[in-house]
Amino acid sequence: MQFVLLGFSDLPNLQGFLFAVFSVVYIIILIGNFLIILITSMDPALQKPMYFFLANFSTLEICYVSVTIPRILFDIKVEDRSISVMSCATQLCFFLVFGTTECLLLAVMSYDRYVAICNPLHYTLVMNPTKCTYLAMGSWLGGIPVQVGQTCQIFSLHFCNSNKIDHFFCDIPPILKLACEDTSVHELSVYVVMVVAALPFMLVLTSYSKIIATILRLPTAKGRAKAFSTCSSHLLVVVLFYGSATVTYLRPKSMHSPGTDKLLSLFYTIVTPMFNPLIYSLRNKEVIAALKKLFFKA
């Protein structure tokens, strides 16, 4: 009826340090993304589709990290790492749903940049408020049926090898290791879902190939620099998210080890969300101007 999340129990002398680090990181993520949500809703200069999707992305990042970090802090603080099967399934389901939402939302944001750069005269017509709302809703809701089904499939397994999950949250690879029956079908379903999740990535690549081709055709260096600056931040976030997630889930089973899995998972569940607000704010003049207006207005 219960699992035990081993987390970072193999580092007993660093529990206090880890608690402080994860607390600071969580606060940074919350403050950074909350500020982006605040300025995109209040500043008239940011009432554009690009910043509408950015506000959705920041909201998603808060939800995404809140699935894992509070549980990590709880386990470190109380040193009671037990988690019920239902709680574990719930955590995995939300983690997968929000991860799918991020894939879809990144694809939608790349489409927005494609229309803005490759078809600027029709941008306001194509990316109208109604369409933006539907695209955002589709991103939030699109992954729910698939990931709820996958979670139910995984937790329909019989677990008898052990109840100790050698990870800091309920993730698919360490859970499948505990099953006492053949998991090949479930592992195949993970690959299938990852392939489906790669479809938004294909859309991102297609959008950016056309964006780069359009930018290179611009007559002036200043125009090329301005066009590239509007999408470079998003492209960097895409590379960080998809790169770490792909290495984590598409490695052969023989290459999985608890230490490596934890390190890679830390990167795409915590480190990347911490850098995302910085990437979007420091590389965007309109966001910087809005932040200055928020903090320094008399």
Side-chain angles (χ1 to χ4, degrees):
M1 297 299 293
Q2 284 190 327
F3 290 121
V4 177
L5 286 169
L6 296 182
F8 304 99
S9 58
D10 55 338
L11 303 170
N13 296 327
L14 295 178
Q15 297 300 296
F17 173 74
L18 290 173
F19 184 86
V21 169
F22 284 119
S23 296
V24 170
V25 169
Y26 191 43
I27 291 170
I28 290 173
I29 293 172
L30 293 180
I31 293 176
N33 285 290
F34 177 73
L35 285 175
I36 289 178
I37 296 169
L38 188 64
I39 62 174
T40 52
S41 62
M42 293 178 58
D43 197 310
L46 302 184
Q47 303 305 305
K48 304 173 183 177
M50 173 183 177
Y51 298 109
F52 169 75
F53 293 125
L54 181 56
N56 273 270
F57 189 75
S58 292
T59 304
L60 172 63
E61 292 292 74
I62 291 173
C63 297
Y64 187 61
V65 298
S66 295
V67 173
T68 55
I69 297 184
R71 181 71 209 191
I72 295 172
L73 296 174
F74 175 81
D75 288 342
I76 293 174
K77 193 67 176 176
V78 302
E79 296 185 359
D80 176 17
R81 296 179 171 86
S82 61
I83 181 172
S84 69
V85 173
M86 181 58 69
S87 296
C88 189
T90 301
Q91 184 185 48
L92 176 63
C93 186
F94 276 106
F95 176 75
L96 294 176
V97 167
F98 290 142
T100 306
T101 299
E102 185 153 350
C103 293
L104 296 172
L105 199 53
L106 287 171
V108 168
M109 294 169 77
S110 69
Y111 173 71
D112 171 68
R113 293 299 83 208
Y114 159 74
V115 177
I117 294 173
C118 301
N119 198 7
L121 296 179
H122 296 92
Y123 179 67
T124 55
L125 180 64
V126 175
M127 300 304 293
N128 58 74
T130 301
K131 185 173 183 179
C132 289
T133 301
Y134 284 144
L135 287 171
M137 289 177 59
S139 299
W140 281 96
L141 302 176
I144 292 177
V146 175
Q147 300 301 4
V148 169
Q150 185 171 43
T151 302
C152 293
Q153 183 187 41
I154 289 171
F155 280 88
S156 66
L157 289 165
H158 296 287
F159 301 101
C160 60
N161 290 336
S162 170
N163 71 332
K164 295 179 180 179
I165 300 175
D166 197 357
H167 213 318
F168 57 87
F169 73 100
C170 293
D171 200 6
I172 295 175
I175 292 175
L176 290 181
K177 288 180 181 179
L178 305 184
C180 54
E181 56 187 276
D182 182 27
T183 61
S184 56
V185 174
H186 299 80
E187 290 167 11
L188 179 62
S189 72
V190 173
Y191 283 99
V192 170
V193 170
M194 286 299 295
V195 170
V196 172
L199 294 178
F201 183 59
M202 292 290 98
L203 178 58
V204 172
L205 291 181
T206 302
S207 298
Y208 273 101
S209 63
K210 294 183 178 181
I211 287 171
I212 292 172
T214 301
I215 290 175
L216 293 176
R217 289 198 298 267
L218 294 176
T220 65
K222 184 178 180 180
R224 290 193 293 270
K226 182 178 180 181
F228 187 72
S229 68
T230 64
C231 57
S232 58
S233 300
H234 177 252
L235 185 58
L236 181 57
V237 170
V238 169
V239 171
L240 289 173
F241 176 76
Y242 273 102
S244 55
T246 299
V247 172
T248 299
Y249 288 102
L250 294 185
R251 283 178 300 151
K253 188 177 180 180
S254 59
M255 295 180 63
H256 280 275
S257 68
T260 306
D261 288 348
K262 289 180 190 178
L263 184 62
L264 290 171
S265 297
L266 275 175
F267 193 82
Y268 72 85
T269 59
I270 297 173
V271 177
T272 300
M274 181 179 67
F275 283 116
N276 286 348
L278 297 175
I279 292 171
Y280 277 113
S281 58
L282 295 179
R283 297 181 62 86
N284 190 303
K285 293 180 180 179
E286 289 181 311
V287 172
I288 292 175
L291 287 171
K292 287 180 179 178
K293 193 185 301 183
L294 177 66
F295 287 111
F296 300 109
K297 63 182 180 180

